[in-house]
Amino acid sequence: DIDLYFGEDGYKKANEIAATWDEVKFEPDTSYHRAFDYKDVKVENHRIYAEFYNQRNSRKWEQVKEYISLLNGEKFIVEEKEIDVPSPQMNAIYIFMHLMHHFLNVGVGFRQICDWLCLLHAKKEVIDMDIFERSIHDLPIKRGMAAVKYIAVKYMGFPDGDMIPLEITSNQIKHDGEMMLKDILKMGNFAHSTIMIKNFDRDNRFLQNLKSYILVLKRFIRIYPICKSEVSAYILSWIHRKFREKCKDSSTLFK
C-alpha cells in the first residue's frame, strides 16, 4: 500500500479530497489512519505516523521525537511534484518500529525486513549512530532489533558493520532470532494466508473462531519476550475493542 502522512492539520482535508475521486472506497477510521482503495491501489492517509499500545511507551516515543527530526529537507519527486520524506535518521528508527508493530500484531514477511536493511545500507553514512543507539535504548525495541540483526547477519549475508552495534552472540538473542525467523517463515506478510487468520469468521462468532483464538494465544505466548509491554497492551486493547463491538451490536437489537 501507499502510506501518506498529513498530521492532524491536513488529515481531514486529505480525506475530503480523496472522497471527490471516482471509485474510491473508504474503510472505517482507525485511531491513526483512514484507508481507501483507488484504482486497485490501497492508500492510507495517516494522522499519526507511529504509535504504541502501551501508554508509557507512547510517552517515551514523544521524548524521542524531541531529539530526532521527522524532516530534514529531503524530497521525493513524483511527476515534477516535490513530496517531503522522513529524514534518514527518523526512517532508521521509524521503519523498524513499523516492522515491529506488525510483527507483534500478526507477523511480517521478509519484505519488511529488507525494507529496513536496505535503508540502513543506503544511508549508513548519514545516520548518526550515537543518536540511533540512544533511541533504541529509550524505546522498547532493543531486543527485537537484536533478533532481526541476528537473522540478517547469519542468514541473509548482511554486513555486520552496516547495522547498529548490538551483540548477537548470547543464547537469548540466538533463541529470539531463531524464533522470529520461524515466525516470519510461517506467518508471512501480515499472516494473510495462514489458517490462524483465514479461520476467523466474518460474523465474529466465538465458537466458530475458537481454533483461531487458540492459535493467536499460542503465538502471543511465544513472541511475548520480544516486547512484553507492547504485547500485553495490544492484547488488552484488542479485548477492549471486541467488547465495545459486542456492546454496540447488542444495543442495536433493542432499537
Side-chain angles (χ1 to χ4, degrees), residues 30-209:
T30 71
S31 61
Y32 55 91
H33 82 323
R34 189 161 197 199
F36 60 91
D37 291 318
Y38 179 66
K39 295 183 178 180
D40 296 324
V41 177
K42 175 75 71 178
V43 181
E44 294 180 355
N45 289 342
H46 286 253
R47 65 180 187 85
I48 297 173
Y49 66 91
E51 71 167 355
F52 287 94
Y53 292 101
N54 182 286
Q55 292 304 307
R56 184 180 178 187
N57 293 337
S58 294
R59 290 192 292 270
K60 290 179 180 178
W61 171 235
E62 292 300 318
Q63 294 171 359
V64 168
K65 288 194 295 183
E66 292 179 1
Y67 61 82
I68 300 182
S69 298
L70 173 60
L71 303 175
N72 71 341
E74 292 204 13
K75 306 287 184 180
F76 179 66
I77 309 299
V78 179
E79 295 183 354
E80 300 182 353
K81 301 291 184 180
E82 291 187 344
I83 300 171
D84 291 320
V85 295
S87 66
Q89 192 72 55
M90 176 57 80
N91 253 341
I93 191 69
Y94 165 72
I95 291 178
F96 185 81
M97 285 172 49
H98 192 72
L99 180 164
M100 283 302 296
H101 175 82
H102 286 299
F103 171 76
L104 295 174
N105 290 0
V106 289
V108 296
F110 278 109
R111 176 175 65 83
Q112 286 84 0
I113 301 294
C114 289
D115 282 347
W116 186 59
L117 298 180
C118 286
L119 174 80
L120 290 181
H121 181 71
K123 299 292 184 178
K124 60 183 177 182
E125 301 299 332
V126 295
I127 295 172
D128 187 322
M129 282 300 173
D130 290 334
I131 294 177
F132 190 30
E133 278 194 87
R134 177 184 173 186
S135 65
I136 67 172
H137 285 286
D138 288 344
L139 296 168
I141 58 176
K142 183 178 179 180
R143 185 164 174 174
M145 188 175 287
V148 172
K149 177 179 178 179
Y150 171 86
I151 295 170
V153 172
K154 181 173 181 179
Y155 292 105
M156 302 175 71
F158 199 80
D160 195 349
D162 284 1
M163 300 192 74
I164 191 74
L166 284 173
E167 180 272 323
I168 58 172
T169 59
S170 71
N171 290 333
Q172 175 192 291
I173 297 304
K174 290 179 180 179
H175 177 271
D176 289 347
E178 294 294 339
M179 179 275 294
M180 194 170 185
L181 177 62
K182 289 178 182 178
D183 192 83
I184 291 169
L185 293 170
K186 182 178 181 179
M187 304 302 291
N189 187 29
F190 306 154
H192 287 317
S193 60
T194 65
I195 295 176
M196 188 182 85
I197 297 299
K198 284 184 174 181
N199 276 4
F200 273 109
D201 184 78
R202 291 189 179 277
D203 293 331
N204 202 23
R205 298 169 184 167
F206 180 78
L207 290 179
Q208 287 88 338
N209 296 336

Side-chain angles (χ1 to χ4, degrees), residues 186-241:
K186 182 178 181 179
M187 304 302 291
N189 187 29
F190 306 154
H192 287 317
S193 60
T194 65
I195 295 176
M196 188 182 85
I197 297 299
K198 284 184 174 181
N199 276 4
F200 273 109
D201 184 78
R202 291 189 179 277
D203 293 331
N204 202 23
R205 298 169 184 167
F206 180 78
L207 290 179
Q208 287 88 338
N209 296 336
L210 184 58
K211 181 178 180 179
S212 291
Y213 284 119
I214 293 173
L215 291 173
V216 169
L217 179 60
K218 286 183 176 179
R219 180 176 182 270
F220 279 141
I221 292 172
R222 189 167 60 249
I223 69 172
Y224 177 73
I226 294 289
C227 189
K228 298 177 181 178
S229 59
E230 275 302 290
V231 173
S232 300
Y234 175 70
I235 293 173
L236 292 174
S237 173
W238 186 85
I239 292 173
H240 180 253
R241 185 175 73 250

